[in-house]
Structure formats: C-alpha cells, structure tokens
Amino acid sequence: MHKMLALLGSMALAAMTAAAASAQGTVKVGVIMPYSGQFADLSAQMDNGIKLYMKQNGDTVAGKKIEIIRRDTGGVAPDVATRLAQELVTRDNVDILAGFTLSPNAIAVSKISAEAKKFMVIMNAATTVIITMSPYSVRTSMTLPSVGASAGMWAYKSGLRKAYTMVSDFAPGKDAEAAFQDAFKKAGGEIVGAVRMPVANPDFSAFVQRAKDLSPESIFIFVPGGAQPAALGKAFAERGIDPNKIKIIGTGEISDESAVKNMGDAALGIITAWHYDHTHDSKPNKDFVAAYNAEFKRNPDFGAVGGYDGMHVIYESLKKTGGKADADSLVAAAKGLKWESPRGPFQVDPETRDVVQTIYVRQVRKVGDQLLNVEFDKMENVRDPGSAGKK
Amino acid sequence: MAFTRTAAADPHRHLHAQAQWQPIELVFWAATLIPFFLFPKYLALASQIAIAALFALSLDLILGYAGIVSLGHAALFGVGAYTAGLLSTLGWGDPLLGLAAGAVAAGLLGYVTSFIIARFRHLALIMITLGLGQLIHEVANKASWLTGGSDGLQGVRIGPLLGRFPFDLYGYTAYAYSLVVLFVVFVFARRLVNSPFGLALRGIRENPVRMPAIGAPSPAHVRKIYTIAAAIAGMAGALLAQTTSTVSLGVLDFQRSADVLVMLILGGAGWLYGGIVGAIIFMVARDQFSGINPQLWYFWIGLLLVCVVMFLPNGVLGCLQLAAPWRSKAS
C-alpha cells in the first residue's frame, strides 16, 4: 500500500510538472474568498479592486499572462478553504494564492502556502498572527491592533484622559480592545470600564445605558461591519448620548459608507481611525475612485483598495523577478516594496511582510448634503504593535 | 421498501435475503478506487465526499430507518471534530486515536440527548434537534479559551496515519483513510439494519404507536440507534478535522446540518447508499458550479434540488429502483 501510494504520488507529481511546463507563459493566481453568503459584498469589492487593477495595467506582466482562478468558501470555512487551496495547487497548478477576506480561512491556507511553497497575498484578513504562519505571505490590508492603537494614541493626544471601551466578543474585537487600551494607558490615560458585547444579534441599548451612567469622556467602539454599526448608532441617539460631549471613537467599520447612510444624522461627530476612505484627498485616489465608479458604479471601500494593492504587489514582484513565480523569489521581491497607493504611502515591511501605512483619523461631518468621513489628523508609518494585540 | 407477503411470513429469510451482497454493490465499492487512478488531482475533493457520505450514512440510520428527523446533526459532527482537533493540540495527534475519541465523545453526547430525542417525533423533534444544534454551537462560540471561538482551533497537528503515511497535499492518504473508515462503518451499518434490530427500527418508522403495543421497547431502540448514529457522525467530524488540519465553528453550523439532510434526500433515505450517492452528487455539483460561477453557484444547486425533489421524490436511488428490477427483487 505504501509503495503504491508513493508510486501514485510520483505519477501525480510528474503530471503536475508536465502541466506546469506547458503553461510556462502564464502565472496563475488562485483567489479564495467568500463570494457567496454574508460576506459576499465585501468580497465583491475586493474582486472589483483586482479586476480594476488588471484592466488598468493589462493582464501581462514581465512577459507572463496573469490568469485569475476564483474559488468560493461561502463564509467562515477553513476546511473548505484548505481543500480549495489544495486543489488550486495540485489541480490547477497555481503559482500564487490570493484573496482571503476572513482570518480563519487565511490561517488555514497559510499552512498550505508554507507546505506547498506558494506566494500568498492576504488582501483583507486582519488578525495579526496570520502573517507569521507562512514565510511566503504578504498583507495588503491592515491589522486591527494597528488601527486600535492609533485610535488610542490619538485619543490621548487630543486631550482625552478617560475612556470606556465597547467591543464585540470575538478575536478582532479583543484585538482592537487590547490595542486601544494599551496605547491609551501607555500614553497616560485611564480606562474607566470595558464591556464585551455578543457578536450575534446584540441588543445595544442596555450596553449603551451602562456606558452613559458612567459618563466617560470618550467611548471606544469596535463592532463588525454590516448591520451592527447602524444599530449601535441608533442606540446612542436613543439614549441621548451626544457625540459632541462624549467622544465616540472607533475603527473604520462603524463609519463605513453604508453604515453612515443607515445611521443618518446619528452618525455625525463619530471619530474613527482607519486606513482608507474614498474621500481621501490625493491624485492617485481621485483617479482610482473615478475609474472605479466608471467601472462598477459605486465607491470603493477598504476591501477594494486591499484587492487593488494586492494585485500591485503581485505585478511589481513579478517585474522584479523577471517573471519567475516561485515563492522564494516572489517573497524576496515583495519585501520592502514601496509606492503611493490610493490610500496613501504604502510599504511592505521588509522584516514582517506586513503592511506599513498611514492611519487617518476622521470625523463624520456634513459636507453639502452628504455625510462623509473627513480626515483631520493622521499617523504615518504605522506598523502592527506586535504581540501587544494578541490574546 | 414494502414488505412482500412472503417476507412478512418469514422475517428471518427476508433478513437473510437482504443481507446478501449484490453484485452491483461490489461494483460500486470497486468504483470508489477509481479516483486514485483516473482523478489523482481530485483526491482532496474525493476525501471530503467520503467524509460527507459517512456523515449522511449516520443521518440515514436515524432518519431513513428509525424516522427520527434531525436538523441539528452537525452538533455531533462538530463534537467529533473538536475532540480530534483538541487531542492533537495536546500532542495526541495519532489519527486513529483521534477518530476513536471523536466517536466516543459524540456517542456520549448522543446517548445523553437520546433520552430527549426518544420522547418526541416529527415537528417537535425538528425544533428540539435544531435547538440542541444551536446550543452546542453557542457553547463552542462562548468557550473560546477551549475552542478558539470564531477564529477556529489553533495548533492542530495531525501525525502520520499508522505512524507511516503523513497527510499529503494531494490527498492520497486523506482519501485512502476516509474511504477505509467509510467502508468499515458501512459494513457495520449494513449488518445492523439487516438484523432484527434494524427491522424493529423500520417498524418504529412506519408506526411508532403500534410497536410498543406489540411489545417492542421503542424508546430503547431509538436511544440505541441514535447513540450509534452519533458516534458515526463524530467519526465523520474527526475525519474532517484530521484530513484538513482545521477545526472551526463551521463544523457546528446549521448549514452543515441542512446540507447533510439535502444530500440524503437527494440520494434517497433508507437505503444506506442514498447518503453516499447524494454526497457524491451534491459535492461534485458544488465543486463544478462554484468553479464555473463563484458568485451565483447556489442558484444552480437550488435548481438541482428543486428538480430532484419534483421529478425524483424518493431520491436518485428511489428512482433507480423503479428502473431496475434487480433491486426491487432484493428488497
């Protein structure tokens, strides 16, 4: 049996190398994301970013044709993601694995990337540890601790001394909470209380009332994007928390374009730390937003810019290796890449392979008749604060 | 599955006739080896089909034979998966050990809950199993110190099978392992349903009121088969955890309970083979549709389901039975 397996294995290997040789002119990129299910919209934005980049820069780089193969995980499903990655590697002979909206799936595929030696571009998943799980991965999104810590530092800098934190009770929430509290306390601030709210269907009013009774100067919030930010915003308005008296600080999810639309005027005054907004004032971003709108009839969000920059990493790395697509060459080429992205200056950290970027502090304000995130402060060259955010 | 008059007159001969292996069955099992030779690139998928088939087989034992409807079967699957995964994080990464532990843990949960299951039927049972499934899901979500919560279990390290065959990227070991487990369990299940106990289960399915009236201890039978099915579901879960080296809350998801029910209905409940055939059709269709159209593939799955239910109300096997006289003769 053992011998037979070994024989079969070598047969398959031979078949694979033959196939790889015949496809010498192409570089295949396997994109694994939840294209269906409740994260489909975010994945669609990421996919749009990928499409736009390829449209603008052509599908050929360094003499190689780029071929995208899309696979759907349907949601948080590391077992499915593992199988899809296995198949992409063994069946479709992909050279690069990319996408990854959700952390658990990215963690699972990291193992495949490490084992099969495939370059991996994480375009969204934001849990800190993922990047350490494969020596061939690069991240083009952000990490929650880097955003949370930026919010904490900014809060102290702006004169706030007391803060209350409200986060969803799961890993990203705990990451954000720990990073904010650490940064805020290190600067000299005081955490007057903290609460973790259930991830599924929380009733926010009780939590908001408790926060109000403490009357802290500021409240830090993390909830997952989607329907929750609007519900939370409404609870704030109903309980009579005035964003002008009690500062509401959060990560970008809570003032996402669709969330603000749902909240209406209740969103006014909310302050968030985040790495991208379509209103960011720069030439690359204006071009990006215009092209994106022309192509997809909507504004890009952080997912779109993650996909767009992810493709940039793939293209630039391939240019540097002269089309060589093995993981060692590609990851070496990707380390230290630096450019002006629509989000601002972007660098792939030469040591951690994680993202180094500017985190913006924005406030929801009325511009004309629109509610927009207006940038008014920023922190440059923000890296993940490292193990500080891990729990 | 209607009893012929002679069968009713002589149950032993009836059981004996049913227990005979049909040539087509041998062909079927021989065919399961085909992926090794013809589709070596599809072995990862093949191993997940074998696991889904094992899971569907477990559901078939309770739904197809004893008439116990369950919408929370993933709870047992998940307990098996988490047990095998947790053992491996503690350093016991031997696959067979994990498999046994998964079966025992899920079997225990099945035994405990079977006392509730045996008391209800139909709609009430659907609600109860659904509730139990959600309950276990929430417990796993809350106990993130143990399960890793929504991030999934970290540090799953599975050792080589029998100490010799590591789980490879292509899935040779994974498929061989899953297939052998599926076959062994199938042989066991086949014996079980063709025993007097299996006949009693069918009696419960057909008329739960009459069985106690003729002196058959229905609740005890239900508890027994539910515990056995639970252990098998746990084995399927353990297999998935081991062959993919991941365990996440997804193993406890309602979607998984629903999918396995769909597979069973697709193939035909009450045949043992129904779940296997259903798993093959469902997983291959899903693989192909989602490869062609990652955004809208659920539409095609839905269409397939509606068609099957409309035109083949007894599942694919139920339809085959009408077409093939050999099968109806055998049953």
Side-chain angles (χ1 to χ4, degrees):
Chain A
M1 190 66 182
H2 194 189
K3 266 188 187 157
M4 201 183 86
L5 280 183
L7 184 73
L8 283 169
S10 54
M11 270 165 59
L13 259 178
M16 255 188 61
T17 38
S22 71
Q24 209 135 61
T26 55
V27 170
K28 290 187 183 176
V29 183
V31 178
I32 301 175
M33 295 200 283
Y35 283 102
S36 67
Q38 62 165 321
F39 300 99
D41 189 56
L42 179 53
S43 299
Q45 288 277 46
M46 291 166 67
D47 204 54
N48 288 346
I50 295 173
K51 280 187 202 142
L52 182 63
Y53 191 89
M54 292 185 69
K55 187 170 181 240
Q56 290 177 341
N57 296 277
D59 60 357
T60 314
V61 58
K64 304 271 180 173
K65 194 169 155 44
I66 304 287
E67 187 189 333
I68 303 276
I69 302 172
R70 294 177 170 83
R71 290 289 180 267
D72 173 32
T73 61
V76 182
D79 55 317
V80 178
T82 301
R83 173 170 67 80
L84 294 174
Q86 263 178 322
E87 287 171 359
L88 283 168
V89 169
T90 59
R91 202 197 287 178
D92 301 307
N93 304 308
V94 299
D95 305 286
I96 298 168
L97 295 164
F100 311 109
T101 310
L102 304 165
S103 295
N105 298 355
I107 289 170
V109 175
S110 291
K111 286 183 202 162
I112 307 282
S113 155
E115 192 186 336
K117 296 202 169 161
K118 296 291 170 191
F119 187 50
M120 173 170 170
V121 182
I122 303 159
M123 295 171 170
N124 187 59
T127 302
T128 304
V129 291
I130 303 171
I131 201 82
T132 63
M133 298 183 135
S134 164
Y136 305 113
S137 59
V138 168
R139 173 151 41 202
T140 61
S141 50
M142 52 97 206
T143 65
L144 274 166
S146 67
V147 175
S150 303
M153 282 186 275
W154 177 84
Y156 188 84
K157 208 173 79 178
S158 73
L160 298 170
R161 292 296 175 265
K162 286 183 181 169
Y164 184 81
T165 64
M166 302 171 72
V167 301
S168 296
D169 192 8
F170 71 140
K174 289 175 201 163
D175 265 12
E177 176 192 63
F180 178 86
Q181 292 190 351
D182 278 359
F184 192 61
K185 279 194 282 197
K186 216 177 270 167
E190 187 194 341
I191 302 292
V192 293
V195 66
R196 289 180 186 168
M197 304 172 288
V199 183
N201 313 316
D203 174 17
F204 288 118
S205 51
F207 295 106
V208 172
Q209 185 63 46
R210 204 188 308 169
K212 194 191 170 195
D213 292 344
L214 282 167
S215 62
E217 283 178 334
S218 61
I219 302 175
F220 173 75
I221 297 168
F222 170 84
V223 291
Q228 293 202 12
L232 185 59
K234 289 208 173 100
F236 274 114
E238 276 164 19
R239 298 279 149 179
I241 289 191
D242 182 353
N244 295 318
K245 288 194 192 115
I246 298 179
K247 285 246 156 51
I248 296 174
I249 303 169
T251 58
E253 286 94 346
I254 62 166
S255 64
D256 185 56
E257 196 185 8
S258 55
V260 168
K261 238 177 226 159
N262 279 327
M263 264 189 264
D265 285 351
L268 277 173
I270 292 178
I271 293 167
T272 52
W274 203 235
H275 61 290
Y276 180 71
D277 193 79
H278 65 90
T279 57
H280 176 62
D281 188 16
S282 75
K283 170 111 185 25
N285 188 47
K286 284 207 171 106
D287 296 345
F288 175 62
V289 173
Y292 199 92
N293 267 301
E295 194 74 15
F296 309 111
K297 313 274 179 286
R298 62 193 287 190
N299 284 321
D301 66 356
F302 60 94
V305 83
Y308 191 80
D309 285 340
M311 285 316 286
H312 187 79
V313 166
I314 291 173
Y315 272 52
E316 289 306 307
S317 304
L318 279 170
K319 272 182 206 163
K320 270 168 88 174
T321 63
K324 263 172 67 184
D326 65 284
D328 286 303
S329 315
L330 280 179
V331 82
K335 279 182 185 173
L337 276 181
K338 213 172 171 175
W339 73 97
E340 175 77 17
S341 144
R343 70 178 90 178
F346 186 112
Q347 192 195 353
V348 179
D349 192 316
E351 271 145 44
T352 62
R353 292 168 277 109
D354 220 327
V355 30
V356 184
Q357 62 188 338
T358 305
I359 301 287
Y360 304 92
V361 184
R362 310 98 42 96
Q363 187 169 36
V364 179
R365 290 180 195 159
K366 210 159 214 167
V367 181
D369 57 350
Q370 274 183 305
L371 293 172
L372 295 177
N373 285 299
V374 180
E375 288 167 13
F376 66 93
D377 202 350
K378 62 181 176 181
M379 268 155 254
E380 281 168 358
N381 295 324
V382 178
R383 285 160 211 264
D384 188 84
S387 54
K390 271 185 266 170
K391 265 247 164 105
Chain B
M1 300 295 283
F3 290 87
T4 61
R5 207 165 286 145
T6 48
D10 188 353
H12 285 286
R13 185 187 293 169
H14 168 71
L15 284 175
H16 191 72
Q18 277 213 319
Q20 294 287 323
W21 284 81
Q22 303 289 328
I24 186 90
E25 296 183 78
L26 302 179
V27 173
F28 177 84
W29 285 102
T32 57
L33 297 174
I34 288 176
F36 281 121
F37 307 103
L38 293 187
F39 311 108
K41 293 182 179 181
Y42 288 77
L43 287 181
L45 177 67
S47 76
Q48 295 212 349
I49 293 176
I51 293 165
L54 184 63
F55 188 34
L57 178 69
S58 147
L59 185 65
D60 200 11
L61 282 179
I62 57 167
L63 176 63
Y65 285 88
I68 306 168
V69 200
S70 173
L71 268 182
H73 216 46
L76 304 159
F77 182 90
V79 166
Y82 271 108
T83 306
L86 280 168
L87 269 185
S88 82
T89 61
L90 298 173
W92 286 296
D94 183 67
L96 294 179
L97 179 75
L99 185 69
V104 170
L108 271 179
L109 177 69
Y111 177 69
V112 173
T113 50
S114 70
F115 285 89
I116 308 172
I117 301 292
R119 288 169 159 268
F120 298 93
R121 291 192 70 79
H122 304 308
L123 264 184
L125 205 50
I126 291 180
M127 300 311 290
I128 287 166
T129 50
L130 187 66
L132 282 173
Q134 301 287 356
L135 207 72
I136 302 280
H137 186 279
E138 200 46 41
V139 167
N141 186 20
K142 275 281 162 204
S144 54
W145 54 273
L146 183 69
T147 61
S150 51
D151 297 322
L153 195 60
Q154 303 300 321
V156 178
R157 297 260 177 288
I158 305 297
L161 188 59
L162 301 173
R164 287 181 66 188
F165 310 106
F167 287 97
D168 54 305
L169 205 56
Y170 303 96
Y172 284 99
T173 315
Y175 183 51
Y177 178 40
S178 315
L179 191 61
V180 167
V181 174
L182 173 64
F183 182 68
V184 170
V185 172
F186 179 84
V187 170
F188 166 76
R190 201 175 178 287
R191 273 206 67 107
L192 196 70
V193 300
N194 290 324
S195 69
F197 173 62
L199 214 51
L201 290 179
R202 269 173 268 182
I204 295 170
R205 180 188 67 194
E206 297 302 328
N207 195 336
V209 182
R210 185 156 174 218
M211 286 304 280
I214 60 170
S218 284
H221 283 330
V222 167
R223 284 204 300 273
K224 222 180 275 174
I225 192 65
Y226 192 76
T227 306
I228 292 169
I232 295 174
M235 288 168 91
L239 281 179
L240 185 72
Q242 293 173 343
T243 53
T244 62
S245 301
T246 61
V247 188
S248 74
L249 285 179
V251 295
L252 291 165
D253 235 12
F254 170 70
Q255 184 73 42
R256 195 174 292 275
S257 301
D259 281 352
V260 71
L261 196 60
V262 165
M263 287 178 209
L264 190 58
I265 292 168
L266 208 62
W271 297 91
L272 289 188
Y273 283 101
I276 304 178
V277 171
I280 295 171
I281 297 172
F282 186 83
M283 300 282 280
V284 170
R286 189 154 92 168
D287 181 64
Q288 292 303 314
F289 289 147
S290 70
I292 297 164
N293 189 339
Q295 281 93 357
L296 292 172
W297 59 277
Y298 248 102
F299 173 81
W300 299 107
I301 292 276
L303 200 63
L304 177 75
L305 279 182
V306 171
C307 289
V308 166
V309 172
M310 274 176 67
F311 300 112
L312 315 169
N314 293 319
V316 174
L317 287 191
C319 174
L320 283 183
Q321 185 207 16
L322 293 178
W326 59 266
R327 196 65 184 88
S328 51
K329 235 185 284 164
S331 60

